[in-house]
Amino acid sequence: MMTRRYKPSLVPVAFILTLVVLLATLFIGQQVAQGMTGIWQLLTGEARQYQSIVVWQWRASRALGALIIGAGLGVSGAVFQSLVRNPLGSPDITGFNVGAFTGVLLSIAWFGNVYWMSVLGAILGGLCAATLVYLFAYREGHSGFRLIIVGIAISATLTAFNQWLSLSVSLETAMTAALWSAGSLNGMTWSRVLPAAILLILLMCIALAMNSRMKLLEMGDDTAAALGVSVNKSRLALMFVGVSLTAVATAITGPIAFISLAAPQIARRLENNASISLTASAVVGAMLLLTADFLAQHAWQGITLPVGLVTISLGGLYLVYLIVREGRL
């Protein structure tokens, strides 16, 4: 009788790679650190003032933002892919991030570029989009495939509405929305990052606390109900947490595509596990966004690209791979 060979988890490797990219993000640059001596001076506070400002005030806040937002998007994608039991069931595909974008656009149009109003607008917009998808997809229960198809339809409708809204507002508001919609980590100061990081960490902790219910829901509604899980309440609570994670991330940076789509599936393969791990998805999501931001800053000399442009370029290839793979199963 053949025994299945044990394969160790590769998530610790992803964690180590994240640390390596973090160090590169902080210290690479001719004007920042000259070798290990320069890095040591920055760590001990002996570097020049402008070097310390560049690293600890500008780069560190941006790097922390990338890590926390990437982790939040990874957890959000894991929650939705678990709920719909389909690797295509991420907020990118089902339109929840487009709904968050709509909420921010309305907030900018009505109240101006006010940070916390944008956050609130993104959460409300994402929840409204999720509610529409949930209601239109309900047919004596929920099918993962039906949720995805309805989500794509809602996403297309909201995208058209967003374009119309951008043409209807003032030029200044339209320019603000256009710059924000590219998805960027520029301007990530500590005053913006820390409140958002606290909120995202809180939401991720809630998702981890509901992890056991999520695993039972993966077994099917009937099985979960037989094991004492309140199916509808648990699904709605998980959807609220997932949408809130996506909405907060979208409000801070603009829409950053495909992190929530790719992170859970990459994490599942790294863990050699059939189920989706929230912790592993958070690690991979943080690694992907931090790496994408590093490429956006250093891949083209003298040009800093919006990180959303990098993720959507790489994620488009990954989406094609997923669609082809799903079609073969």
Side-chain angles (χ1 to χ4, degrees):
M1 182 177 178
M2 295 181 63
T3 58
R4 186 176 179 180
R5 188 176 179 181
Y6 172 74
K7 295 181 179 180
S9 172
L10 296 178
V11 174
V13 177
F15 181 77
I16 294 172
L17 288 175
T18 303
L19 293 179
V20 171
V21 178
L22 176 61
L23 292 174
T25 300
L26 291 175
F27 300 120
I28 279 185
Q30 294 181 352
Q31 303 300 321
V32 177
Q34 297 293 335
M36 293 303 298
T37 302
I39 294 176
W40 178 254
Q41 290 175 344
L42 283 165
L43 292 174
T44 57
E46 298 175 359
R48 296 177 181 177
Q49 184 178 7
Y50 82 91
Q51 292 176 315
S52 297
I53 291 175
V54 168
V55 172
W56 304 121
Q57 294 297 321
W58 299 346
R59 291 190 174 186
S61 58
R62 181 175 180 138
L64 177 64
L67 290 172
I68 298 296
I69 292 168
L73 290 173
V75 171
S76 176
V79 167
F80 283 111
Q81 289 180 22
S82 175
L83 287 177
V84 302
R85 297 188 285 276
N86 191 308
L88 295 176
S90 78
D92 309 296
I93 306 300
T94 51
F96 301 152
N97 61 341
V98 180
F101 183 23
T102 303
V104 174
L105 280 177
L106 291 173
S107 172
I108 294 174
W110 291 340
F111 306 107
N113 193 15
V114 180
Y115 179 61
W116 283 109
M117 292 304 298
S118 296
V119 173
L120 180 60
I123 293 175
L124 292 177
L127 289 175
C128 288
T131 301
L132 290 174
V133 172
Y134 190 86
L135 291 176
F136 283 115
Y138 188 82
R139 293 291 184 278
E140 298 180 356
H142 286 91
S143 163
F145 180 74
R146 191 186 303 122
L147 278 168
I148 293 171
I149 296 301
V150 172
I152 293 173
I154 296 295
S155 177
T157 304
L158 290 176
T159 299
F161 176 76
N162 292 343
Q163 293 175 347
W164 172 82
L165 187 62
S166 298
L167 295 173
S168 303
V169 297
S170 66
L171 179 60
E172 181 182 357
T173 302
M175 289 296 295
T176 301
L179 291 172
W180 178 86
S181 66
S184 176
L185 290 168
N186 293 334
M188 279 288 139
T189 60
W190 287 113
S191 60
R192 292 189 65 186
V193 169
L194 290 179
I198 293 171
L199 185 55
L200 287 170
I201 291 172
L202 177 62
L203 289 169
M204 284 189 280
C205 289
I206 295 173
L208 288 172
M210 300 186 67
N211 186 53
S212 59
R213 296 187 192 181
M214 190 182 77
K215 296 300 181 186
L216 292 175
L217 288 173
E218 287 180 1
M219 301 169 65
D221 291 356
D222 294 338
T223 303
L227 293 172
V229 176
S230 179
V231 174
N232 289 328
K233 289 182 179 179
S234 297
R235 181 179 285 114
L236 287 173
L238 285 165
M239 285 185 66
F240 174 81
V241 173
V243 169
S244 297
L245 284 167
T246 300
V248 172
T250 302
I252 300 167
T253 63
I256 295 179
F258 295 108
I259 297 295
S260 56
L261 173 70
Q265 294 303 311
I266 295 175
R268 187 170 65 85
R269 286 163 175 76
L270 290 177
E271 280 210 317
N272 299 302
N273 198 335
S275 62
I276 297 174
S277 167
L278 295 181
T279 305
S281 298
V283 172
V284 174
M287 179 190 69
L288 290 177
L289 187 54
L290 186 64
T291 304
D293 187 52
F294 181 80
L295 292 175
Q297 293 183 73
H298 298 284
W300 290 268
Q301 188 174 5
I303 300 176
T304 299
L305 297 175
V307 68
L309 182 62
V310 177
T311 60
I312 201 169
S313 300
L314 299 177
L317 299 175
Y318 183 76
L319 178 60
V320 171
Y321 161 76
L322 266 185
I323 293 175
V324 171
R325 182 178 178 276
E326 287 295 301
R328 291 176 179 174
L329 295 178

